[in-house]
Amino acid sequence: MKSFVLALCQNSPSYDIQKNIQRVFDMLNKAARKGAELIVLPEIFYYPYEIEKLTSQADEDDRILNLLCEWAKTNQKYLCSGSLIEKRGDALYNTAYLIDPAGSIVLKYSKSHLFDVELPALKVQESAVFTKGNKIEVADCGLGKIGMLICYDVRFPEMARLLSLWGAEIILVPAAFNTVTGPAHWEITFRARAVENQCFVAAASPARNKKTGYLAYGHSLIIDPWGRVLAEAGTGEEIIFARLDPKVLTETRARLPLLKQRRDDLYKLNGK
């Protein structure tokens, strides 16, 4: 991988999709002016993450995706779309795209683990809206080897480990943790994925909007392969930046050769 500046845009989605999209493009332009070469948006960045309302928020005819591709091409930047609601036939998928400076999609990933939980203060059933994705990949682009997960996927360490075994140096995770699970597990989980796979991990969350029915945790994070937090947002709307240094990755893997010391004779991880 190369040394480059990564930015995460923690926007605050309201119920006005057009205003949300315009605000995101304002943030993208600001991040680009400050030298970011890769910019990452949150999970379903253009609408509050309220499950019962998301069925009507699909990106029909790839309208939002095409706008993002055009922006990346015009500004000559890499861009992770965050996630969009993608319609395939009658099914809806929670899908993220990695777009290159030519405006082309170099990686597409649909959320594989759906957040179906019933906690004392929280009940969510993503499977009522979304269909599970069934494919993961790594893109080898001009910045390095990049993999993507979406939110709840990060709780399943096999996913990140498989990406690392396939060469991922950076894992991007558009996410929308809530104020129940976020304080307990957000930072520790993302730092764990970075440490155990010795790669950079970037988690992009929406900001917390108290005027909507879903309170996102915020606290977008950029973490290095040693587990250090390079940048962290608060709960409000902001952009965070960090320079990713490939020397940190190579030195970490040399000091603790975890991936080389795996016992394939005792355990194996198979991917499609």
Side-chain angles (χ1 to χ4, degrees), residues 4-9 23-41 68 70-79 101 238-243:
F4 69 93
V5 175
L6 168 69
L8 309 185
C9 294
R23 177 57 181 151
V24 162
F25 278 110
D26 290 343
M27 297 178 81
L28 289 175
N29 290 333
K30 182 176 180 180
R33 288 194 301 270
K34 290 195 171 186
E37 294 183 59
L38 168 60
I39 308 170
V40 184
L41 300 177
L68 295 172
E70 185 60 33
W71 185 91
K73 182 178 180 180
T74 299
N75 291 274
Q76 294 289 286
K77 301 293 183 182
Y78 284 91
L79 174 61
E238 65 178 293
I239 306 170
I240 61 172
F241 299 83
R243 178 170 288 278

Side-chain angles (χ1 to χ4, degrees), residues 21 24-25 28 41 45-46 59 62-75 77 79-84 97 99-100 103:
I21 293 172
V24 162
F25 278 110
L28 289 175
L41 300 177
F45 69 87
Y46 58 94
D59 184 23
D62 293 331
R63 184 180 66 88
I64 300 173
L65 177 59
N66 289 336
L67 290 173
L68 295 172
C69 288
E70 185 60 33
W71 185 91
K73 182 178 180 180
T74 299
N75 291 274
K77 301 293 183 182
L79 174 61
C80 172
S81 68
S83 72
L84 305 170
Y97 303 84
I99 305 162
D100 71 10

Side-chain angles (χ1 to χ4, degrees), residues 122-180:
L122 179 72
K123 181 178 180 180
V124 180
Q125 188 178 4
E126 288 186 339
S127 64
V129 174
F130 296 116
T131 298
K132 295 177 181 178
N134 57 14
K135 185 178 182 181
I136 58 173
E137 295 179 283
V138 173
D140 190 354
C141 64
L143 300 177
K145 295 179 181 178
I146 298 177
M148 295 192 299
L149 302 174
I150 298 176
C151 201
Y152 196 46
D153 288 323
V154 79
R155 291 185 177 273
F156 299 85
E158 300 90 344
M159 294 284 285
R161 174 51 56 88
L162 192 56
L163 290 175
S164 72
L165 293 178
W166 287 349
E169 298 158 318
I170 306 157
I171 298 178
L172 308 178
V173 191
F177 271 41
N178 53 73
T179 53
V180 176

Side-chain angles (χ1 to χ4, degrees), residues 100-117:
D100 71 10
S104 300
I105 296 168
V106 295
L107 184 61
K108 175 181 176 179
Y109 171 72
S110 295
K111 191 172 188 176
S112 301
H113 298 89
L114 301 182
F115 189 52
D116 287 0
V117 300

